[in-house]
Every structure is written in C-alpha cells, then in structure tokens.
C-alpha cells in the first residue's frame, strides 16, 4: 500500500483522486447510517412518555402504541406459521428431491425470483382485490397475514436453500449408510445442521414483517386497537406510524414509534448476524 | 408403512415448492383481470399517454406518474450508484478487516430500516433542508425523493457490487500491480471492469427497489399529478398514486388505480427479466 499524502498526490494524481473518492463515499455512507439512527433516537427517546404511549388501551388522547405492538406480534407469529413450513418444505424439495435440470424446478426458481422483486404496494393491492373485494372480508388481520406470507415466502425459500446446500454431502451419505430413509435424513440430519441458517432467514423475515406498511394498509387496515380475532381490522407498528404521520397532528408520537421500530430492527439484524456467524463457524469446526 | 410416509412427504414438499408458481399465477390473474378492463374502457392511449389525472372528471391519464417514477428512479441511481460503487470498492479492496467487521453490520442495518422510518426521516430532515437551501417552496419534490431513494438503494448497490468485485480473480489485480500500476489504478482499471456485469445486476436491483418504493416517496415527493419541469417540482409516482387514492376510490377510479399497478408490475417484470438474463450470463 502506498502512503496517502502530498507526495502521492504529485506522483499519482489520478490514484490520489480515486482513493479520495473511495474514502469520501464510504464516509458519507457511514455518516448517513449514524446520523439517521442518532437523529431518530435523539428526537424520539424524549417522546417515549412512559405510561401514556404504552397504555394497554388506545384512546385518541394517549395515541398508545401498545395495541399496535401486540398486533405486530400476532401478525408476525401468524405469518411465520404459514410461510415458514411452506418455504422450508419448498427449499427441501429444491435441494434434496428435485433432479438437476428439471423444467418444474426452473419454473419454481423463476417464480420465486419474480415474487421477491414485486413491490410491497403491489402485494397490498393484490390482497385488497382478493380478500377485501372478491371474498368480501373487508379489512381483516387474516387478509394481511396471507398477503405477508406470500411476500416473505421467497426470502425463506432462498435462505433455507442456501443453508441446506451448505450441509456437507458426507452428512447425507453417513445417514443413508446407517440405513436411514430420505425423509429421516432430511428431518433428523439435514434440517438440524442447517438450523442456524434457516433461523437467520426467519429473523430477516421478521424484520420485513415488522417494517412492512404498504402491503398492510389496504389488507389489515389502520385500526389502532388490539385485534379480537383473525377477522378484525388491526394495524401493526409501521402502519400505526403511517397513520400518525398522515394525520399530521402527532409528530411526537410518530418519533416515539420510529424509535421502537429502529430498536427492533437493530436487535433483529444483530441476532441474524450472530446466527449467520454461528453457521459459518459450525462448518469450519 | 414407512414407504407410504416417504411418498406422501415427497408430494408435500413438491406441493410446497409449487406454491410460489401458484402465487405468481394468482397475482397476475387478479391484477390483470381487474386492471385490464379499465385500460380498455379508458383507452390505452388515453391511459398511458394522457397527461391529465382527474378522477372526478373521468380523466385517467397516468403519463405524469410514469414519468414521475422514472424521474425519481433516475435521480436515485445518479446519487446512489456512484457513492455505493466507491463504497463497495472500499469494502472489497481498501478496508482493513477490523474496520470491516463494524462497517458491514452498519450497511446491513441500512437495508433493514423500514421504509416508513425513511419517509419520516426524509420529511423531518431532508425536506426542511431542501426548503431552506433551494427555491422550492414546500421542499418536497424530485430532488428530495431522489436523495432519499439514493440512500435507500445504497445497501443493495454496495452488497451486490462488493460480491461482484470479490469474485474477480486476484490475478487480474496482481498482474496490474506487477506492471507498475498503483493500487488504485489496478482496482479501478482491471478489477472493476471485470466485475462490470455483476455491478450492473446490482444497479438493476436498485432500480427495482427505487421504482417500487412507496411509503418513503409518498411522504416527500409532493404528489402533484403533473409532469414536473425542474428537479425541484413535486411529482407523483405510480406507487404514490395507488396509496393516496385507493382508500376512497370506487368504480372506474378504483379500476384505474389497479391498472396503474398493472403498469408498475409490467415495469418490475421487465426489470426482473433483465436481471436474471444478466445473472445467467455471469454464471
């Protein structure tokens, strides 16, 4: 490495300039990350008024986000309950059962890629057409859950596929060699050793569900109370924040919700990163 | 007994894998069957080429929204790609490993922040800054939305470009060094051109993310359904059009909004196809 100083500028002006641009761009990116997080925390934490914003009952006076937090948990659990088994099973089929060069497998991969590229507003509109208009459910928790399940399916499929492919073939051979069938090998050997990778994918999916708003506004609606059942309208934290912002009267509360969302995202990212690291160290070990 | 369960589970796995085909088919079917009749009723020329969007007067021209989406996406690319690319070069070729361990999670975090939080940040920080430093009266417009989207596509550009750069054989870089080129010249004139198609794939992914972004844009783009004449004028994107009016639209108005989503969907399909073509060429 050359030293980055004035003599370097005189001898290699272009290289100096390029390196300057590289440093500046990286500094700008890092500055954006820290400024964004710092600004939201600095403005938002003082607005986390303890009893009011976290009251169990939502009223137009306290604008409590507690019901929205509970709804977020309900929607996350229900969405995962649908999408995780389908996504993991689909990945098992693609990695363990499908033959190479199969036309169907190609089609599955193309459609999964298409699904992951579709913007969330299009998912929201699809859910709106199917559940709210065609089935006449109106805005309900279940419409939102099914819409989100389709949305995170490609993410679960891709991360699980990667995790399954990272399992060494010797595990499979060892299991078959001991007389286990294919099914037993999948559930007793392959999935357990791919678990950290699968979990890291699930946690990423939780992050997407928690942060999603466009797909939920026209499916689960913006009702800021705890859902009584799957056929009641209920807003998650992100949708609640959207409602607070569009009303324009509750900036302080919106800041507070932003803090909660940001902290959740930081925790989710840290956990997912930790699991991914565990996966790589497992393979090395 | 065990044999039956093997066969049954094999079909269960196959069925689960086919769900994604089913989902794409359903999405296409419902969007097109609800949206295309509206395009027929309005007339494809009037719909795609019309410059007036006045649902109350039965005028449904979405050209301003198409142009608006293109403007903000182009702006996002102009801001996000150079910064993201230089940052990816830093991550792949300049970064000491100790720093990398801190930098990588920070950039991953940028990808995980919900778009509604980005929109709020844009509204509270970028909009007032634009309002004070430029002639824009509201602070909302193409420039504001471009800066916000440029930041939002950064993690996509950085991570895809970084892995493309890392996939280039080290011998390219070493060869250039051996010929007397500096570290920077070797990276920028041998490694970077070799990673070109991978980087392009990242840019296309970024375009897809920018054009489909909804909640952040609707807060800060101004949302006037007219074709803007400067980078400070307000625009409405296709996504914003849907979010703003879907809540109360009925009849032909609602169908026209779904048809807007059809146009957006076709845009996304084109982007997806070009991305997978590029990826196939890489493999």
């Amino acid at each position: 490495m050359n030293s980055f100083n004035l003599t370097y500028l005189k001898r290699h002006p272009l290289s100096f300039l390029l390196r300057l641009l590289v440093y500046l761009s990286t500094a700008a990116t890092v500055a954006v990350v820290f400024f964004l997080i710092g600004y939201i925390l600095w403005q938002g934490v003082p607005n986390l008024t303890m009893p009011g914003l976290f009251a169990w009952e939502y009223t137009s006076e306290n604008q409590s986000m507690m019901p929205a937090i509970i709804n977020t948990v309900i929607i996350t659990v229900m969405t995962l309950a649908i999408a995780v088994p389908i996504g993991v099973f689909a990945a098992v089929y693609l990695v363990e059962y499908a033959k190479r060069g199969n036309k169907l497998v190609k089609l599955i991969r193309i459609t999964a890629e298409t699904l992951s590229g579709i913007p969330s507003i299009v998912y929201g509109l699809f859910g709106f057409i199917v559940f709210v208009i065609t089935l006449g459910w109106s805005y309900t928790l279940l419409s939102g859950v099914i819409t989100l399940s389709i949305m995170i399916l490609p993410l679960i499929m891709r991360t699980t596929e990667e995790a399954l492919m990272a399992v060494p073939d010797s595990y499979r051979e060892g299991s078959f060699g001991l007389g286990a069938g294919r099914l037993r090998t999948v559930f007793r050997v392959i999935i357990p050793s791919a678990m950290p990778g699968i979990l890291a994918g699930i946690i990423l999916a939780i992050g997407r569900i928690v942060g999603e708003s466009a797909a939920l506004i026209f499916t689960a609606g913006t009702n800021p109370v705890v859902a009584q059942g799957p056929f009641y309208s209920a807003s998650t934290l992100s949708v609640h924040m959207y409602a607070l912002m569009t009303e324009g009267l509750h900036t302080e509360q919106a800041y507070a919700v932003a803090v909660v969302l940001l902290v959740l995202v930081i925790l989710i990212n840290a956990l997912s990163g930790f699991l991914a690291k565990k996966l790589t160290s497992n393979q090395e070990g | 007994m065990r044999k039956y369960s093997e066969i049954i589970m094999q079909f269960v796995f196959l069925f689960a894998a086919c769900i994604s085909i089913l989902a794409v088919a359903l999405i296409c079917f419902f969007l097109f069957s609800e949206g295309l009749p509206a395009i027929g009723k309005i007339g494809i020329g009037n719909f795609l080429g019309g410059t007036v969007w006045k649902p109350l007067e039965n005028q449904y021209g979405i050209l301003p929204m198409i142009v608006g989406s293109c403007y903000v996406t182009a702006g996002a690319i102009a801001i996000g790609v150079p910064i993201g690319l230089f940052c990816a070069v830093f991550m792949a070729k300049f970064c000491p490993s100790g720093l990398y361990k801190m930098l990588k999670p920070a950039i991953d975090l940028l990808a995980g922040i919900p778009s509604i939080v980005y929109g709020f940040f844009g509204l509270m920080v970028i909009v007032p800054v634009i309002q004070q430093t430029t002639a824009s009266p509201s602070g909302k417009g193409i420039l504001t939305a471009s800066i916000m989207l440029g930041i939002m596509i950064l993690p996509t550009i950085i991570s895809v470009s970084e892995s493309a750069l890392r996939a280039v054989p080290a011998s390219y870089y070493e060869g250039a060094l051996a010929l007397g080129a500096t570290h920077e010249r070797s990276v920028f004139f041998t490694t970077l051109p070799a990673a070109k198609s991978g980087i392009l794939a990242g840019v296309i992914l970024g375009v897809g993310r920018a054009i489909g972004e909804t909640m952040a844009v609707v807060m800060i783009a101004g949302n006037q359904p007219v074709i803007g004449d400067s980078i400070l004028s307000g625009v409405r994107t296709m996504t914003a059009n849907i979010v703003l009016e879907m809540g109360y639209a009925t009849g032909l108005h609602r169908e026209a909004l779904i048809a807007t989503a059809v146009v957006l969907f076709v845009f996304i399909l084109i982007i997806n196809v070009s991305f997978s073509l590029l990826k196939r060429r890489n493999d």
Side-chain angles (χ1 to χ4, degrees):
Chain A
M1 278 249 183
N2 294 299
S3 53
F4 187 55
N5 55 29
L6 268 179
T7 26
Y8 194 56
L9 171 63
K10 273 181 199 148
R11 290 180 58 196
H12 303 285
L14 180 65
S15 299
F16 185 89
L17 181 72
L18 285 173
R19 184 181 286 214
L20 193 67
L21 283 172
V22 165
Y23 284 169
L24 284 179
S25 299
T26 311
T29 307
V30 175
V32 164
V33 179
F34 284 101
F35 181 64
L36 205 156
I37 294 167
Y39 183 85
I40 299 268
L41 291 182
W42 178 62
Q43 290 279 331
V45 170
N47 287 316
L48 288 170
T49 43
M50 246 346 185
L53 268 179
F54 293 97
W56 292 105
E57 291 288 327
Y58 170 91
T59 63
S60 54
E61 270 155 47
N62 69 8
Q63 294 289 330
S64 167
M65 66 169 114
M66 205 58 197
I69 293 176
I70 297 169
N71 287 333
T72 309
V73 173
I74 297 172
I75 285 192
T76 307
V77 171
M78 285 173 71
T79 306
L80 291 179
I82 296 176
V84 170
I86 297 177
V88 170
F89 283 1
V92 166
Y93 179 78
L94 289 177
V95 178
E96 308 294 334
Y97 285 84
K99 291 183 186 73
R100 218 169 273 251
N102 187 332
K103 281 243 168 66
L104 184 69
V105 172
K106 242 182 203 167
L107 189 62
I108 292 167
R109 280 187 209 284
I110 290 172
T111 49
E113 261 175 41
T114 310
L115 281 183
S116 66
I118 294 177
S120 46
I121 182 69
V122 174
Y123 280 109
L125 214 55
F126 164 73
F128 180 76
I129 297 170
V130 174
F131 304 114
V132 180
I133 299 181
T134 310
L135 294 176
W137 287 1
S138 165
Y139 295 143
T140 59
L141 196 70
L142 194 61
S143 325
V145 165
I146 299 175
T147 309
L148 285 186
S149 305
I150 302 174
M151 197 178 88
I152 63 161
L153 182 64
L155 178 66
I156 304 268
M157 272 171 77
R158 204 196 60 234
T159 47
T160 307
E161 227 188 304
E162 277 165 17
L164 293 179
M165 283 196 290
V167 175
D169 270 340
S170 56
Y171 284 32
R172 295 182 179 89
E173 288 152 10
S175 173
F176 290 142
L178 289 171
R182 219 171 192 179
L183 198 60
R184 189 180 282 256
T185 308
V186 165
F187 280 108
R188 291 294 168 91
V189 178
I190 298 171
I191 290 185
S193 46
M195 213 34 147
I198 298 174
L199 279 178
I202 293 173
I203 288 162
L204 280 184
I206 294 175
R208 263 201 91 176
I209 297 169
V210 169
E212 188 48 57
S213 40
L216 284 172
I217 290 172
F218 300 121
T219 53
T222 51
N223 191 11
V225 297
V226 177
Q228 306 283 306
F231 287 98
Y232 286 82
S233 169
S235 64
T236 65
L237 214 47
S238 295
V239 177
H240 182 57
M241 185 172 166
Y242 171 74
L244 288 174
M245 283 167 73
T246 42
E247 284 161 13
L249 302 166
H250 304 291
T251 311
E252 289 90 4
Q253 286 87 346
Y255 267 121
V257 179
V259 170
V260 175
L261 276 175
L262 209 54
V263 170
L264 275 176
V265 166
I266 292 172
L267 287 178
I268 286 168
N269 265 40
L271 196 58
S272 164
F274 169 76
L275 282 168
K277 205 172 287 171
K278 202 175 159 195
L279 181 69
T280 41
S281 66
N282 268 2
Q283 275 153 14
E284 281 157 15
Chain B
M1 200 51 218
R2 182 175 293 167
K3 236 181 183 164
Y4 282 124
S5 64
E6 289 272 352
I7 293 167
I8 291 168
M9 280 313 282
Q10 186 164 351
F11 277 104
V12 170
F13 291 144
L14 177 64
F15 177 72
C18 290
I19 295 274
S20 67
I21 303 177
L22 187 71
V24 171
L26 281 176
I27 290 173
C28 288
F29 172 76
F30 278 102
L31 276 185
F32 287 109
S33 70
E34 293 279 324
L36 290 182
I39 299 181
K41 273 181 238 166
I42 299 161
I44 189 156
N46 287 337
F47 183 67
L48 293 176
T51 54
V52 183
W53 175 268
K54 278 182 182 157
L56 290 176
E57 296 164 22
N58 264 330
Q59 285 184 298
Y60 301 102
I62 63 159
L63 188 65
M65 283 65 130
I66 297 177
V67 173
S69 282
C70 292
Y71 277 164
V72 296
T73 305
I77 294 300
I79 293 168
V81 169
I83 297 179
L85 193 54
F86 279 118
C87 189
V89 168
F90 181 82
M91 304 277 285
K93 297 286 167 191
F94 285 78
C95 191
S97 69
L99 186 59
Y100 187 86
K101 278 188 192 127
M102 324 248 293
L103 213 53
K104 185 73 182 154
I107 286 164
D108 285 344
L109 192 60
L110 213 50
I113 294 174
S115 48
I116 188 82
V117 175
Y118 274 113
F120 187 61
F121 177 77
L123 192 64
M124 290 299 152
V125 177
I126 304 178
V127 167
V129 169
I130 298 285
Q131 203 173 10
Q132 278 159 20
T133 53
T134 67
S136 167
S138 70
K140 300 178 182 179
I142 298 173
L143 181 65
T144 320
S146 299
I147 295 172
M148 191 77 262
L149 286 174
I151 295 173
M152 292 179 76
I153 64 168
L154 268 181
T156 311
I157 306 277
I158 293 173
S159 59
V160 178
S161 306
E162 190 201 331
S163 44
L165 286 169
R166 284 188 191 278
V168 174
S171 56
Y172 285 38
Y173 166 77
E174 287 157 4
L177 268 194
L179 289 171
T182 59
H183 173 63
E184 293 82 6
R185 274 178 180 270
S186 310
V187 170
F188 277 92
F189 298 109
T190 58
T191 312
L192 198 64
K196 192 173 56 191
S197 61
I199 292 169
L200 194 61
V203 174
I204 291 174
L205 268 190
V207 170
R209 200 173 167 198
I211 209 166
E213 182 47 53
T214 313
M215 304 316 285
V217 170
V218 77
M219 296 290 162
I220 56 174
N223 301 329
Q224 295 89 330
V226 287
I227 297 178
D229 48 10
S230 89
I231 58 163
L232 295 177
S233 47
V235 287
R236 180 186 288 195
T237 62
M238 290 186 272
T239 51
N241 197 33
I242 299 166
V243 168
L244 287 168
E245 298 183 0
M246 202 66 210
Y248 61 84
T250 51
L252 185 61
H253 184 194
R254 181 161 74 191
E255 287 175 35
L257 291 175
I258 296 172
T260 312
V262 170
V263 176
L264 177 68
F265 189 60
V266 171
F267 267 77
I268 293 290
L269 285 183
I270 294 170
I271 291 166
N272 268 4
V273 167
S274 38
F275 174 74
S276 38
L277 284 181
L278 212 74
K279 218 172 75 177
R280 197 159 305 152
R281 217 178 61 189
N282 285 359
D283 300 337

